[in-house]
Amino acid sequence: TCIVVTRNPAFAAGGAECALSLDAAVGLARALGDAAPIVAGGAALYALALPLATRLWITRVHADVAGDTVFVGADRAALEGTGWKCIDVAKHDADARNDFAFDIEQWVRPR
C-alpha cells in the first residue's frame, strides 16, 4: 500500500492512501497490516522518520551532481556515531542504464 504524506487535505492520488502527517501515515500503515512501513522521501519526511527508523537503505552515487536536497546525517561517520551499523553494500558499475557507479548500503540500528 502506498501512503502519501501531504499537508494538503484535498490531495488525492489514484491507487494511494493519503495522510496529513507521518504519525497518521504510520498509524494507517499499521491498521492496514504493515508492521514495517518504508519511507520514500523527501528530505523533510526523512528528517521526521529517521528517529523512528531501525533500517536504512542508502544509495550512494559516485558522482558530483547538481541538486538542492541532501539527506542530512546520512554520511557514514554520522551514522556510525549514532549507533547505526552497515550490514551490506551492493556495488553497481555504471552501465547502459546508469550513467554513474553507485552503491546501495543497508544499515541497521539496534533498539
Side-chain angles (χ1 to χ4, degrees), residues 1 3 22-37 52 54 111:
T1 302
I3 303 170
L22 177 62
D23 288 339
V26 170
L28 179 56
R30 289 189 176 139
L32 294 171
D34 189 347
L52 306 173
T54 58
R111 286 284 179 194

Side-chain angles (χ1 to χ4, degrees), residues 45-106:
L45 197 55
Y46 285 144
L48 290 172
L50 189 57
L52 306 173
T54 58
R55 186 170 304 267
L56 299 173
W57 287 271
I58 297 176
T59 302
R60 298 197 191 275
V61 178
H62 301 290
D64 289 323
V65 294
D68 63 356
T69 303
V70 175
F71 183 177
V72 176
D75 63 89
R76 292 186 74 87
L79 289 170
E80 290 168 346
T82 55
W84 289 91
K85 304 285 183 220
C86 185
I87 61 167
D88 188 50
V89 178
K91 297 186 176 292
H92 300 271
D93 294 326
D95 59 23
R97 290 183 47 206
N98 301 289
D99 290 338
F100 306 109
F102 63 97
D103 299 339
I104 299 175
E105 302 172 350
Q106 186 177 170

